[in-house]
Amino acid sequence: MINAVLVFNNSGQPRLTKFYTQLDTAVQQRLISEIFTLVSNRPSSSCNFLPLPPLLAPSKSSSTTTPTASATPTDTPTLITYRHYATLYFIVISTSTESPLALLDLIQVFVEALDRLFENVCELDLIFNFETLHAVLGEMIVGGVVVETGLDKVVRGVREQGKVVKRPGDGVGRSAGLGAGILGGFGMRGVG
């Protein structure tokens, strides 16, 4: 199960925070801060998988005191999977039942869908068109379960909802580095 999807810029400002499990707001804020610190401090040669910080990781003492906790150990979040594209970090928090490689593919399809919908997506597109960002995520994940990873189906579903907003003008400001695109070939880190 997917517990959360997060998107940060290089400065640590969240551009998307979608939690599929109930968490107190203070815990969410601390978790967001800890995860950004962990991910942003990793060298580019490191792998794209991390264990969850102790803030949400299951404690050994709680599983011994509650008999039902040992019956469902796979429901607790344990893994951080992330990709860094240009100025954005795309992060998925999941349980151990999810395949890390499948989650990397999910992130890739998510980014490619955004790139198709916005025609060379940039950080500003995510800021000003957050409805489209959430619509794409909603086409792919429902209640923490991945329901679609087909790029064409995701893009078609969002377009049918009418959530795509065209940019005003014909790309003014893009040559100034504001929207070179996150898939433009620079800043991409592969699976390490």
Side-chain angles (χ1 to χ4, degrees):
M1 177 179 172
I2 293 177
N3 300 92
V5 176
L6 310 170
V7 179
F8 299 110
N9 67 7
N10 286 341
S11 301
Q13 298 169 324
R15 298 302 181 208
L16 170 72
T17 56
K18 177 70 174 172
F19 286 87
Y20 295 99
T21 53
Q22 188 79 24
L23 287 177
D24 186 45
T25 306
V27 173
Q28 285 183 6
Q29 294 302 316
R30 281 192 9 233
L31 182 67
I32 287 169
S33 175
E34 282 187 36
I35 288 176
F36 174 73
T37 302
L38 284 172
V39 168
S40 65
N41 289 333
R42 290 175 61 87
S44 61
S45 60
S46 295
C47 73
N48 296 80
F49 315 110
L50 287 166
L52 194 66
L55 182 63
L56 278 185
S59 65
K60 297 193 187 324
S61 61
S62 66
S63 63
T64 57
T65 58
T66 312
T68 57
S70 62
T72 59
T74 59
D75 288 343
T76 56
T78 58
L79 181 67
I80 298 170
T81 305
Y82 74 96
R83 291 287 304 262
H84 185 218
Y85 296 99
T87 62
L88 296 171
Y89 289 94
F90 291 80
I91 301 166
V92 176
I93 301 171
S94 67
T95 61
S96 61
T97 59
E98 295 290 333
S99 165
L101 294 177
L103 293 175
L104 279 176
D105 183 52
L106 177 76
I107 293 170
Q108 181 69 29
V109 171
F110 182 53
V111 171
E112 286 184 27
L114 292 171
D115 198 52
R116 277 197 192 176
L117 290 165
F118 289 117
E119 301 167 3
N120 207 8
V121 67
C122 67
E123 185 176 350
L124 291 176
D125 291 322
L126 305 185
I127 293 168
F128 294 117
N129 300 299
F130 61 90
E131 299 92 355
T132 305
L133 183 66
H134 283 276
V136 171
L137 195 59
E139 285 289 319
M140 298 178 73
I141 303 170
V142 175
V145 178
V146 177
V147 293
E148 185 60 64
T149 57
L151 180 59
D152 293 331
K153 288 182 180 180
V154 170
V155 171
R156 184 174 45 249
V158 173
R159 284 188 175 141
E160 287 173 358
Q161 291 178 31
K163 297 287 184 186
V164 181
V165 178
K166 290 291 182 185
R167 234 181 253 119
D170 49 333
V172 176
R174 293 210 169 259
S175 62
L178 293 176
I182 57 177
L183 284 178
F186 63 90
M188 288 182 60
R189 292 186 186 171
V191 181

